[in-house]
Amino acid sequence: MEMRDHGGDGPPVVLLHGGGRTMYDWDPLIRFLPDLRVVSYNFRPGAWNWQTALMDLAKVIEYFGLVRPAVVGHSLGGMVAALWATMHPECPLAVNLDGHTNPTGPVLRAFIDEQLDASGDPDLAALISAFDELDLIATYRATQCRLVVVSSTQPEFEQMLPDEVGAAFAAYRGEFAKQLGAAAADTPLLSLREIATGHDVHLAAPEQVAELIHAGLNQV
């Protein structure tokens, strides 16, 4: 695995990139975290599974000798951060930046299956299957450490989809937000934030994300 230690003497933070991206995605954010010990790395290529991703995260933490690091992820990486939070009560903070699983409903599932068939990509098929296996709301409810879930508020995907699919996706987002709110109401360690950007929250609003990380760590 390719890894980067960005230095710093403060509390440790591990950054997890999104699907199809790399650790260099975090460069705009890192300059707002000069007081933290920041580490980033690239997920291993190939077919995706959650267990391997969590094992790799543990190896990175051990390699750099990090003690009780915060874990911050975007999209796919955010879901890994949320899973980490269910297993590590010693973690001071986990942050999921706009990481959501596959949308549900017959219209959306048919669209996903069509796109998957058209791609012919076995790694993408493995990723979609892994998303289907993960109950993210249940994951949030099971957190053992402080977990912040950030949702973007400027939807991008609906505008690029066929009308019927876009409408179904908008409805799915609304229903998911209700479930997320109910989970937060019942889960003291779970808190929600919204940031007025598209999906790439860390690129569009790195200073806001840095402030959220600092605020979370200052509450420890």
Side-chain angles (χ1 to χ4, degrees), residues 92-110:
L93 176 69
V95 180
N96 176 358
L97 299 172
D98 215 42
H100 305 299
T101 50
N102 293 332
T104 56
V107 173
L108 293 171
R109 288 305 311 184

Side-chain angles (χ1 to χ4, degrees), residues 18-134:
R21 312 293 271 270
T22 72
M23 60 185 173
Y24 297 100
D25 234 26
W26 293 109
D27 287 352
L29 172 66
I30 289 170
R31 66 190 184 96
F32 292 106
L33 304 173
D35 56 327
L36 303 181
R37 170 79 185 282
V38 180
V39 166
S40 60
Y41 68 99
N42 285 336
F43 291 138
R44 69 170 69 194
W48 180 266
N49 72 78
W50 301 112
Q51 183 177 6
T52 298
L54 291 166
M55 289 174 56
D56 286 347
L57 173 53
K59 290 177 182 177
V60 169
I61 291 171
E62 181 179 10
Y63 179 85
F64 287 109
L66 305 180
V67 179
R68 299 179 62 246
V71 180
V72 179
H74 168 245
S75 195
L76 177 63
M79 289 183 272
V80 175
L83 283 167
W84 182 263
T86 69
M87 306 172 187
H88 294 274
E90 79 283 359
C91 179
L93 176 69
V95 180
N96 176 358
L97 299 172
D98 215 42
H100 305 299
T101 50
N102 293 332
T104 56
V107 173
L108 293 171
R109 288 305 311 184
F111 179 76
I112 290 173
D113 291 342
E114 287 175 5
Q115 300 304 307
L116 189 58
D117 289 343
S119 75
D121 184 344
D123 290 343
L124 180 58
L127 181 61
I128 294 298
S129 178
F131 279 14
D132 286 337
E133 294 169 1
L134 179 62

Side-chain angles (χ1 to χ4, degrees), residues 128-147:
I128 294 298
S129 178
F131 279 14
D132 286 337
E133 294 169 1
L134 179 62
D135 185 336
L136 201 53
I137 296 297
T139 298
Y140 293 154
R141 290 181 181 274
T143 187
Q144 296 190 54
C145 72
R146 293 180 54 254
L147 171 62

